[in-house]
Amino acid sequence: MKILVTGASSGIGFDTAQALAQKGYEVYGAARRVDRMEPLKAFGVTPLSLDVTSEESIDACLAATGPLDVLVNCAGYGSFGAIENVSLEEGRRQMEVNLFGLADLCKKVLPGMRERGAGRIVNISSVAGRACLYFGGWYHVSKYAVEAFSDALRIEMKPFGVDVVLIEPGATNTSWGVIAADHLAESSVGTPYEQPALAEAAMMRKAFSQRMFSEPAVVTRAICRTIRARKPRARYVIAAGSWTMVFWHSLLPTRWWDAIVRLTGSPRLARLVERL
C-alpha cells in the first residue's frame, strides 16, 4: 500500500509517517522543509518537497509518488488573532494552506482512486471545526470548511469505493500552540483587544510548553486504525478534551458557551495558570 503524508516535517505528520513506515507501508512524507524529514529516512520514509499552496509543487510531488492508495492531509497551521486585526491577506493564506491546498491534492489523486474503485483520503481537521475558541477566527473558519469539504466529498466518492475520513484532534503537544500564541500576541499589541489577547496567548504558551495535552502518537494511532479499518468511521474525535468540548458545545446555549470561552482571555485566569 502506497501512502502520502503531507505536513511530515513535524508534529502529527512526522509521527504518522514514521509509524506507517514501521508498519511496512510504502510511505512518502511531504513538506516544505525537506531537511526536517531527514530522520524519517531511517524508517524507510521517502521525503519529498511540497508546498500545498503551489500547484506546480503538488504536481511534482504526485509525479514522484505515482498512484496512491492513501492520502493523509496533515499540512496546516493556526493563525490566531482578532478578526479585526488579522489582515485579509493572512486570512486568505490560512485558507490556502488549510483548505485549498488540501482540496487540490484531493482533486488530483481522486481520478486514479475512482478508476481503481478503491482508495482512502484522511483529512486532519480539528475540534476547532466543531466549536470556536477565543481569537481563533480564521483558523476556525478554515477547519469548519475542511469539515464541510470532507462531508461533501465523502458522499460523492462512496459509490466509487473511495473512503473519506475526518480526524478531529483536540489539544495536542506540538509546536502548533506556541506558534499560534505568538501570532495572536503580535497581531494584538496596541489594539483594543490587547489585554484579553495577551492573556489568552500566555495561557496557550503555558499549556503547550508544559505538555498538558495529548501526544501526537494518540492521533497517529487513530490515523493508523483508519487506514487499516475495512469500513472506517466518517469521523474520529481524538486527544485531550475533544469529546468534552464537542459535548458541551452541543449542549449549552450559545450565549453560555460564548461567555465561558471569553473567560480564557481573563488576565486573572492567565495569572492563575502561570502559577501552576
Side-chain angles (χ1 to χ4, degrees):
M1 183 180 292
K2 189 186 296 185
I3 303 173
L4 173 64
V5 180
T6 71
S9 60
S10 63
I12 293 169
F14 185 100
D15 200 66
T16 297
Q18 176 181 324
L20 290 172
Q22 288 177 308
K23 293 181 183 299
Y25 297 114
E26 180 182 352
V27 180
Y28 294 83
R32 288 184 305 149
R33 295 292 301 273
V34 178
D35 57 305
R36 294 185 179 180
M37 295 185 287
E38 279 296 311
L40 290 173
K41 288 183 177 180
F43 301 96
V45 177
T46 302
L48 296 173
S49 176
L50 174 64
D51 178 353
V52 297
T53 66
S54 165
E55 187 171 7
E56 287 184 0
S57 179
I58 291 174
D59 288 342
C61 178
L62 295 178
T65 66
L68 294 170
D69 298 297
V70 180
L71 170 63
V72 182
N73 283 306
C74 290
Y77 77 105
S79 181
F80 269 50
I83 288 175
E84 185 180 351
N85 293 341
V86 176
S87 69
L88 284 180
E89 180 182 7
E90 173 59 24
R92 290 188 184 99
R93 173 164 174 75
Q94 180 79 114
M95 298 298 289
E96 286 290 342
V97 173
N98 289 6
L99 175 65
F100 293 116
L102 174 152
D104 199 7
L105 277 159
C106 289
K107 284 172 65 66
K108 290 179 185 299
V109 304
L110 282 175
M113 291 182 176
R114 177 171 44 73
E115 288 168 9
R116 293 192 304 275
R120 194 156 295 180
I121 292 174
V122 182
N123 290 332
I124 310 305
S125 179
S126 169
V127 290
R130 304 278 289 272
C132 285
L133 299 177
Y134 213 5
F135 298 120
W138 281 108
Y139 178 66
H140 287 287
V141 169
S142 72
K143 289 303 183 181
Y144 269 70
V146 168
E147 295 276 321
F149 174 85
S150 300
D151 284 344
L153 187 61
R154 185 182 64 252
I155 295 167
E156 293 171 3
M157 298 313 298
K158 189 63 175 178
F160 299 102
V162 179
D163 296 309
V164 180
V165 181
L166 276 162
I167 303 290
E168 300 172 327
T172 309
N173 285 323
T174 67
S175 60
W176 178 94
V178 175
I179 294 170
D182 289 345
H183 190 274
L184 172 57
E186 290 165 7
S187 68
S188 303
V189 173
T191 75
Y193 306 94
E194 180 173 0
Q195 185 176 12
L198 292 182
E200 178 80 8
M203 290 185 62
M204 290 173 69
R205 289 194 192 98
K206 181 77 172 182
F208 280 92
S209 65
Q210 295 209 348
R211 307 185 73 80
M212 295 179 178
F213 304 126
S214 300
E215 293 301 317
V218 174
V219 184
T220 294
R221 286 195 291 271
I223 295 171
C224 291
R225 287 200 305 271
T226 297
I227 292 171
R228 293 196 306 267
R230 190 170 65 87
K231 291 184 177 180
R233 301 201 303 264
R235 280 176 167 76
Y236 292 77
V237 181
I238 306 296
S242 303
W243 277 113
T244 303
M245 180 173 167
V246 171
F247 172 77
W248 285 111
H249 180 262
S250 65
L251 185 67
L252 291 173
T254 300
R255 289 183 180 180
W256 290 23
W257 175 264
D258 292 353
I260 291 169
V261 167
R262 283 195 300 271
L263 286 175
T264 61
S266 162
R268 182 178 297 178
L269 183 57
R271 287 193 294 271
L272 177 62
V273 171
E274 281 293 328
R275 297 193 190 103
L276 296 177

